[in-house]
Amino acid sequence: MRKPLMAGNWKMNKTVPEAINVVKSLKSAVASVSGVEILICPAFTALYAVSDEIKGSNISLGAQNLFWEAKGAFTGEISLEMLKDAGCSYVIIGHSERRQHFGETDETVNKKTKAALAAGIIPVVCVGETLKEREDNVTFKVIEKQVRVGLSGISPQQASLAVIAYEPVWAIGTGKTATPDQAQEVHSFVRKIYEQMYKESAEKVRILYGGSVNPNNVSDLMKKTDIDGGLVGGASLEAESFAKLVEYSK
Ligand code: PGA
């Protein structure tokens, strides 16, 4: 069965001392959790220090972006080797904020996804429709293209390892969560598309829901068959609320 994954996306928040503070409390708060994989994705500058702090714990480390080239004249970019060196085993790719503010497309998402998998880092590939797209009834069309292009050209084994995050753009940071039924509808659609692309890998791929997930709504979302975890922004910034999220089933 798919092991649930609860991922914290800290976005552009926290200095190194602030990150370490949260991680220290989180570590002890979730020390006894074993049924859920726990992932935190701090800013680049805090990765190395956080990686040291979580050594030997049940918390994994991820980055929020990468560049697909190995090295060279790409000012301001970060390679996969650098992420591995900093202790990352996951990387978020194509978050809607990167698509919206930094011009990322399904094609760049695909390059990043392939590069991450080739380097042995698990990509968390984000997809999701805007409010306008939902209102225009093109949600499924948009999601299908994001999945088909963003995750194309990988091996079946890589397809099982990858993680997909469905994050309706209108639900991110707005306090408006998709209802569990709305989310499940899209999650099962994503799995169906994935099945057409990668056959039995579709049963193994974890599909996270993201968008205003909090300790109060997490259990209802997690009851849905095709929701395998959460990608959490705001509620992952404090150890107490993220620990509650991780322990959703208790
Ligand atoms: P939110 O962010 O939980 O603050 O809505 C989720 C995300 O952007 O990954």
Side-chain angles (χ1 to χ4, degrees), residues 5-11 26 37-42 60 62-64 92 208 230-237 242 245-246:
L5 170 63
M6 213 46 81
N9 172 11
W10 286 0
K11 308 192 179 183
L26 183 65
E37 202 178 333
I38 307 163
L39 170 66
I40 48 172
C41 303
S60 305
Q64 301 170 19
I92 298 172
L208 315 183
L231 181 55
V232 186
S236 74
L237 290 172
F242 194 48
L245 272 165
V246 166

Side-chain angles (χ1 to χ4, degrees), residues 3-229:
K3 186 170 185 179
L5 170 63
M6 213 46 81
N9 172 11
W10 286 0
K11 308 192 179 183
M12 196 173 73
N13 291 293
K14 298 192 192 301
T15 60
V16 174
E18 286 167 352
I20 295 298
N21 260 341
V22 173
V23 169
K24 277 189 198 295
S25 319
L26 183 65
K27 233 178 21 176
S28 52
V30 300
S32 63
V33 174
S34 61
V36 179
E37 202 178 333
I38 307 163
L39 170 66
I40 48 172
C41 303
F44 288 134
T45 47
L47 288 175
Y48 194 77
V50 167
S51 141
D52 210 39
E53 190 61 46
I54 59 178
K55 271 202 186 100
S57 78
N58 56 350
I59 303 174
S60 305
L61 187 68
Q64 301 170 19
N65 189 22
L66 68 107
F67 189 53
W68 56 81
E69 292 289 350
K71 60 163 77 167
F74 302 104
T75 303
E77 294 297 325
I78 304 275
S79 74
L80 283 150
E81 193 187 344
M82 292 168 183
L83 294 186
K84 282 210 257 190
D85 189 40
C88 292
S89 46
Y90 284 83
V91 61
I92 298 172
I93 296 178
H95 189 280
S96 65
E97 286 150 16
R98 296 220 50 90
R99 295 176 189 256
Q100 193 185 338
H101 304 301
F102 304 100
E104 296 213 8
T105 62
D106 294 335
E107 287 71 24
T108 58
V109 167
N110 185 236
K111 285 189 177 178
K112 292 182 179 193
T113 301
K114 284 188 192 154
L117 285 164
I121 292 201
I122 301 176
V124 179
V125 181
C126 302
V127 300
E129 81 287 2
T130 62
L131 182 59
K132 174 145 195 335
E133 288 162 345
R134 181 158 279 264
E135 285 172 351
D136 290 348
N137 282 321
V138 293
T139 297
F140 292 100
K141 204 171 138 215
V142 169
I143 303 284
E144 177 164 2
K145 178 167 176 278
Q146 290 173 337
V147 173
R148 283 200 190 276
V149 179
L151 288 130
S152 75
I154 59 179
S155 72
Q157 198 236 346
Q158 291 175 328
S160 309
L161 269 181
V163 175
I164 301 175
Y166 168 56
E167 299 203 301
V169 179
W170 49 271
I172 295 177
T174 57
K176 267 192 244 161
T177 330
T179 64
D181 286 340
Q182 271 175 328
Q184 166 60 25
E185 193 185 19
V186 178
H187 280 232
S188 82
F189 176 75
V190 168
R191 207 178 297 283
K192 220 170 284 158
I193 299 295
Y194 214 63
E195 193 180 353
Q196 291 169 14
M197 296 169 72
Y198 296 117
K199 313 247 162 25
E200 52 273 15
S201 302
E203 271 312 304
K204 298 195 186 128
V205 72
R206 287 179 293 182
I207 308 176
L208 315 183
Y209 169 78
S212 299
V213 177
N214 63 46
N216 299 322
N217 59 27
V218 66
S219 325
D220 285 340
L221 287 160
M222 290 303 293
K223 279 184 194 129
K224 295 293 176 184
T225 343
D226 289 298
I227 301 184
D228 307 311

